[in-house]
Amino acid sequence: MKDFKEVRLSYKNTPIDVRGKFSLTQQECEELLKDYQSDDRINELLFVSTCNRTEAFYVSDEDMSVDIIQKISNKKGVDIKEAVKYFESDCDPLQVQNHLFRVALGLEAQVVGDIQISNQVKRAYQWTADYNMAGQYLHRLMHTIFNANKRVQIETEFRDGAASVSYAAVEMIDELTLDITDPKVLVVGLGEIGTDAVRNLQNTDISDVTIMNRTLSVAEELAEDTGYNIRAFEELWHAAKEADVIISSLPIADYFNVDNVKDLDILAFKCFLDLSVPRSVAEDVDKIPGVLVYTVDDINARADKALERRLNSIPKVEAIIQDSLVEFNKRSKEMEYSPIIKGLKNTLESIREKEVLKYQGQLSLKEQKQVDKITKNLLNKIMKVPVLQLKASASADKKEGEKMGQMISELFNIDIEK
């Protein structure tokens, strides 16, 4: 597919504050898809936008990168002069295919192997399908990617374990609260790592989550996205008393100390996951009966092991991608000639039917069925030779495939359906 192109920006070349300016919500993606429904220059279109990237993959005869960047900029109220500093375009279809695979499978994620990006790409594809902006090409490509993703999960360790601090912290909570019915989790401090932890909690079965931040509006915005409870920071100690697990990323050294934690009336169990540096949970808090404390070093050690397994799996993942791309592009080449193959079959079938019809009145019903079966088998065998030759030529050399396709079309006077 010579017309598959993209524009993109990501954490690799764009600071977080700029990425935030171009991050598209679901509604904004849907509005852009709707805008392009009436634009004949773009046949198929997919937007993938997360906190770490904003990308558009499209099928068009033209390089539409400037137009797409302009529309994104307009949607976000940002000057296009700033946008063009960060957005990159790529019009090489093989590179674009490979990049979309790598994004969807997590190779391009900030946390290698991040399962969230796979889910985000699936949702983006659903929006594209909902607005009829996915044609035959994108449908086949996306389903090839989803099949590759299944292979990665089954055949490699690329998705095993939590490879970031916030992932590992949430994985730890799942294990620690295994025997607790409806565990209560309190997240205090919503900087980058605290926010990541909250979003990762959405991938668990834990539903009783309360978030708080010294700036209430930050908590309110995150609560709107996640549906979690919020409480004012002034209610911290009441909320901490009720919680089974407290995740702290407060930038205040020893904020949780022996004096204030022992006043929480701990009966059996309370766990602190301290994601702060310097630590916000004092070193001696874990001496209080019933209290467990895990520091960022404990969680990092867990994440490092998982990350090592993921990194070791990258060559296998890349091999799966290459296998998938080879098969996809082989089928794509064959699909280009399907109208010729269909036309050839229709032409030969028409000849067969006319000839059978000539002798129908001279044959018994049993003989008619036998003749019909014999001639259909004969037609299929005749079809097999040029079809296999056409596919072989197309796979070996595109120009030779086109030449043979033209010869077959002219020889059998095939009217190709567009």
Side-chain angles (χ1 to χ4, degrees):
M1 168 60 73
K2 64 182 179 181
D3 302 326
F4 193 45
K5 305 174 176 71
E6 73 164 318
V7 294
R8 66 175 181 256
L9 66 73
S10 75
Y11 71 95
K12 291 188 174 182
N13 68 336
T14 312
I16 188 168
D17 58 324
V18 176
R19 295 202 303 274
K21 292 180 182 179
F22 295 102
S23 181
L24 299 167
T25 64
Q26 176 178 343
Q27 182 179 340
E28 288 167 338
C29 287
E30 290 178 344
E31 288 169 354
L32 286 165
L33 289 167
K34 191 174 181 179
D35 286 345
Y36 277 109
Q37 280 180 327
S38 57
D39 192 326
D40 293 336
R41 295 173 298 173
I42 286 188
N43 302 318
E44 304 181 49
L45 179 61
L46 173 77
F47 284 102
V48 177
S49 187
T50 71
C51 58
N52 284 326
R53 66 183 66 252
T54 296
E55 309 198 15
F57 300 86
Y58 63 99
V59 176
S60 175
D61 293 334
E62 303 177 35
D63 180 352
M64 295 289 292
S65 55
V66 174
D67 190 86
I68 292 171
I69 295 167
Q70 179 72 70
K71 276 191 166 60
I72 293 173
S73 300
N74 292 345
K75 184 68 65 180
K76 302 304 296 185
V78 182
D79 191 329
I80 191 172
K81 291 179 181 177
E82 181 175 7
V84 294
K85 294 177 187 176
Y86 299 100
F87 273 100
E88 302 173 332
S89 63
D90 193 337
C91 295
D92 183 321
L94 295 179
Q95 289 180 182
V96 176
Q97 287 174 0
N98 186 61
H99 180 72
L100 181 52
F101 264 89
R102 291 179 66 86
V103 168
L105 268 59
L107 282 172
E108 295 293 317
Q110 199 163 22
V111 178
V112 177
D114 187 349
I115 189 65
Q116 284 190 81
I117 186 64
S118 298
N119 295 330
Q120 288 161 338
V121 170
K122 285 180 182 177
R123 286 196 294 272
Y125 171 54
Q126 184 61 58
W127 305 335
T128 289
D130 289 344
Y131 282 84
N132 296 316
M133 289 301 289
Q136 186 182 60
Y137 182 81
L138 263 182
H139 281 310
R140 287 190 297 108
L141 181 60
M142 296 308 296
H143 284 285
T144 304
I145 288 172
F146 299 149
N147 287 332
N149 191 41
K150 288 180 185 176
R151 284 189 60 190
V152 168
Q153 289 177 308
I154 294 168
E155 299 174 25
T156 76
E157 294 183 314
F158 192 59
R159 296 275 162 68
D160 292 358
S164 73
V165 172
S166 55
Y167 260 58
V170 169
E171 188 178 73
M172 213 176 249
I173 291 171
D174 252 352
E175 294 175 9
L176 291 167
T177 60
L178 201 59
D179 297 325
I180 300 175
T181 304
D182 297 326
K184 293 179 173 59
V185 176
L186 171 65
V187 183
V188 186
L190 300 175
E192 186 172 351
I193 194 167
T195 298
D196 282 348
V198 171
R199 295 198 181 282
N200 290 330
L201 280 165
Q202 292 182 282
N203 297 320
T204 72
D205 294 327
I206 298 170
S207 58
D208 193 342
V209 177
T210 299
I211 59 178
M212 60 171 53
N213 193 65
R214 286 182 295 174
T215 303
L216 183 61
S217 60
V218 174
E220 288 173 336
E221 187 176 341
L222 186 57
E224 190 175 339
D225 286 346
T226 61
Y228 290 147
N229 308 312
I230 56 170
R231 292 179 74 166
F233 194 76
E234 292 74 25
E235 299 178 56
L236 170 61
W237 299 109
H238 292 292
K241 186 175 288 190
E242 297 168 4
D244 298 302
V245 177
I246 299 164
I247 301 175
S248 173
S249 59
L250 287 171
I252 306 170
D254 296 341
Y255 187 84
F256 294 94
N257 53 59
V258 171
D259 291 334
N260 53 38
V261 173
K262 70 181 180 182
D263 290 337
L264 296 178
D265 298 328
I266 299 162
L267 298 176
F269 170 86
K270 198 171 294 287
C271 177
F272 287 87
L273 274 71
D274 188 357
L275 308 184
S276 308
V277 179
R279 55 190 296 169
S280 58
V281 181
E283 193 171 346
D284 53 357
V285 167
D286 64 355
K287 293 177 182 176
I288 300 171
V291 173
L292 295 174
V293 178
Y294 293 93
T295 68
V296 72
D297 287 342
D298 300 322
I299 301 165
N300 256 326
R302 184 186 186 109
D304 287 346
K305 290 178 183 176
L307 183 58
E308 185 179 355
R309 289 200 300 274
R310 291 186 181 193
L311 292 175
N312 289 338
S313 297
I314 286 177
K316 291 182 181 178
V317 177
E318 290 177 332
I320 289 172
I321 289 175
Q322 289 310 308
D323 286 348
S324 301
L325 282 171
V326 168
E327 183 63 23
F328 173 78
N329 285 305
K330 179 183 176 184
R331 290 186 177 277
S332 293
K333 285 180 181 178
E334 292 176 0
M335 289 289 287
E336 288 182 28
Y337 299 100
S338 59
I340 296 173
I341 294 169
K342 184 179 178 182
L344 176 60
K345 187 172 183 179
N346 290 341
T347 299
L348 294 178
E349 175 62 19
S350 178
I351 294 169
R352 186 195 73 83
E353 287 177 350
K354 287 177 182 177
E355 287 302 305
V356 169
L357 191 62
K358 286 180 184 179
Y359 300 99
Q360 200 169 39
Q362 304 171 28
L363 304 171
S364 67
L365 186 61
K366 183 179 179 181
E367 288 171 335
Q368 287 178 29
K369 288 182 178 179
Q370 288 177 331
V371 168
D372 196 57
K373 183 178 180 181
I374 291 168
T375 54
K376 280 184 177 178
N377 287 341
L378 186 61
L379 183 149
N380 289 334
K381 288 181 179 179
I382 292 171
M383 276 280 300
K384 191 173 182 180
V385 175
V387 168
L388 288 177
Q389 191 63 45
L390 179 58
K391 287 182 177 181
S393 298
S395 295
D397 187 317
K398 185 176 177 65
K399 287 185 178 179
E400 284 299 312
E402 290 174 349
K403 187 177 178 181
M404 177 162 284
Q406 186 176 356
M407 286 173 57
I408 292 172
S409 299
E410 292 174 355
L411 182 63
F412 289 92
N413 194 27
I414 296 170
D415 183 17
I416 298 172
E417 298 177 14
K418 297 295 182 183

